[in-house]
Amino acid sequence: MLDINKFAKTMKNTLKCCLVLFILQTASGDSCSLEISPPRVVVGFGEPVSVSCVASRPVRVLGWESAIGALHTQHDLTVQWQVDSLIDWIEEPICYGVFFTAPRQCEEKLNLVLYKTPDSISISLVNHTGPMVEGREYQLLCEVQNIAPVQYLTLRWYRGQTEVYNHTFSELSPATPVQVSSTLLITPGRVEHGAPYRCEATLELGPEGPQPPPMVKSEPLDIAVHYPPDLLSPEQEVIELGDGEVITLNCTAVGNPPPLYRWSTPTLLESDESHPLLSAPSLGIYTCMASNILGKSSKQFIIKPRSKGKTDGSLDISKHMIWSGTEN
């Protein structure tokens, strides 16, 4: 007759033994006993490379599986993978070992990064030539030719010395050289007139890569910005004039293209004067108009007789009202 208790105890011990054996085999199978040194290698296109694979226990065969530089050895605990000039973009070297004891065979893949700096990088305006207009939107394009691997690329945009945008390509994964581009939308103001824009391509390859990271700059793109005239002092001016005195009126404005000036005076409906300074020898209203292709701005000067009681020596108007105006 079957002893149920004895049978259960026997099965329990058997399962425990099997579980211990399974754990030992799993732990043993997780250890490949191979170490690649260095474990990650960053190599420039066409440069030499050398990597060691070391076994930590006796081995029947130790070798490298590779499209180029394949090599194996028997019984030695070290084998070298070496290439004088690496130009194969799909190279994936694997170190393998065949051992006397379990696990009898295992392998380790080398983390290899083959990189190439771009042939060229350029910046241009999209669908536009000539000067820009203040307040309008424009698109700049930066193009990078033949760079690899693109997932390590950071493309930075600069205005002058200030970084204004950066673009990464980590979502891409080709190993071979590719062409990529980045766009930047700008709405230029007058302060950006003459400001150079440029872009820089940097391969950030990690601590195993070259330091500082390889970087290539575009030629700068200088932008011209057109904007309407703004008078330096737009408020109406009331000026007192004494007998025999002459004063200079200043109507200087800043604009691009440089503004043209037209004056209307008490004696002439419109003067032929085309500069921002005008001599005013008589009383009345003088009006200045500064204009360019984008707009215009005007200012009035009201010249009145000097109030009674003021002597000529109380205020030297000719000295106080003459400035050196410049056209911008």
Side-chain angles (χ1 to χ4, degrees):
M1 184 176 178
L2 180 63
D3 188 336
I4 299 299
N5 292 332
K6 186 176 180 180
F7 176 76
K9 185 176 181 180
T10 301
M11 290 300 298
K12 181 178 181 181
N13 290 336
T14 301
L15 290 172
K16 185 183 295 185
C17 179
C18 292
L19 179 61
V20 171
L21 180 61
F22 173 76
I23 292 173
L24 289 174
Q25 288 179 337
T26 302
S28 177
D30 286 343
S31 176
C32 187
S33 304
L34 297 177
E35 181 180 354
I36 294 177
S37 179
R40 184 175 187 266
V41 178
V42 178
V43 186
F45 184 78
E47 294 180 357
V49 59
S50 179
V51 184
S52 296
C53 183
V54 181
S56 60
R57 58 193 174 101
V59 62
R60 289 180 182 272
V61 179
L62 182 65
W64 283 97
E65 181 183 330
S66 173
I68 53 175
L71 183 68
H72 75 274
T73 182
Q74 293 182 336
H75 307 305
D76 290 340
L77 296 181
T78 302
V79 65
Q80 198 87 359
W81 180 69
Q82 187 169 331
V83 178
D84 293 333
S85 177
L86 187 58
I87 57 174
D88 188 349
W89 290 105
I90 58 173
E91 185 62 75
E92 294 183 338
I94 297 175
C95 178
Y96 64 90
V98 180
F99 298 92
F100 294 99
T101 57
R104 294 188 177 275
Q105 187 168 343
C106 63
E107 61 185 32
E108 291 285 349
K109 182 179 176 181
L110 172 64
N111 186 350
L112 175 65
V113 177
L114 179 60
Y115 74 90
K116 178 186 177 300
T117 56
D119 291 341
S120 65
I121 177 171
S122 60
I123 184 173
S124 60
L125 265 168
V126 178
N127 299 326
H128 182 79
T129 57
M132 303 177 184
V133 176
E134 181 182 43
R136 296 184 186 176
E137 189 175 80
Y138 299 89
Q139 188 177 64
L140 303 181
L141 175 68
C142 181
E143 295 181 289
V144 183
Q145 304 285 343
N146 293 331
I147 189 168
V150 69
Q151 58 264 37
Y152 293 100
L153 170 65
T154 298
L155 199 56
R156 292 182 172 86
W157 286 88
Y158 289 87
R159 181 178 64 243
Q161 300 301 315
T162 304
E163 181 178 335
V164 294
Y165 178 64
N166 69 72
H167 186 176
T168 58
F169 299 84
S170 56
E171 75 281 2
L172 304 178
S173 59
T176 56
V178 294
Q179 174 182 335
V180 293
S181 62
S182 174
T183 57
L184 178 69
L185 292 177
I186 63 171
T187 307
R190 61 192 64 193
V191 295
E192 296 177 60
H193 175 65
Y197 278 83
R198 74 178 192 279
C199 53
E200 295 182 357
T202 304
L203 278 173
E204 299 178 345
L205 299 162
E208 300 85 359
Q211 302 298 327
M215 184 265 289
V216 180
K217 298 180 181 181
S218 73
E219 291 294 325
L221 175 68
D222 294 329
I223 66 170
V225 181
H226 281 181
Y227 49 92
D230 271 346
L231 291 163
L232 296 184
S233 178
E235 299 82 9
Q236 182 187 76
E237 292 187 31
V238 178
I239 305 168
E240 293 185 351
L241 184 66
D243 291 340
E245 291 180 332
V246 175
I247 60 173
T248 300
L249 308 180
N250 187 347
C251 183
T252 302
V254 177
N256 193 34
L260 299 176
Y261 297 89
R262 302 295 293 178
W263 288 88
S264 63
T265 71
T267 55
L268 294 172
L269 182 62
E270 193 172 87
S271 170
D272 290 333
E273 301 287 350
S274 59
H275 49 75
L277 303 180
L278 183 73
S279 294
S282 59
L283 307 179
I285 298 175
Y286 293 74
T287 302
C288 168
M289 178 77 72
S291 64
N292 63 16
I293 57 174
L294 296 178
K296 56 188 177 181
S297 189
S298 62
K299 175 175 181 174
Q300 276 192 342
F301 300 85
I302 301 176
I303 310 301
K304 300 169 59 177
R306 178 171 295 146
S307 301
K308 293 182 179 181
K310 292 186 178 179
T311 63
D312 291 342
S314 61
L315 179 65
D316 190 345
I317 297 179
S318 62
K319 291 182 180 179
H320 284 269
M321 294 304 299
I322 298 178
W323 300 277
S324 296
T326 56
E327 296 185 34
N328 291 315

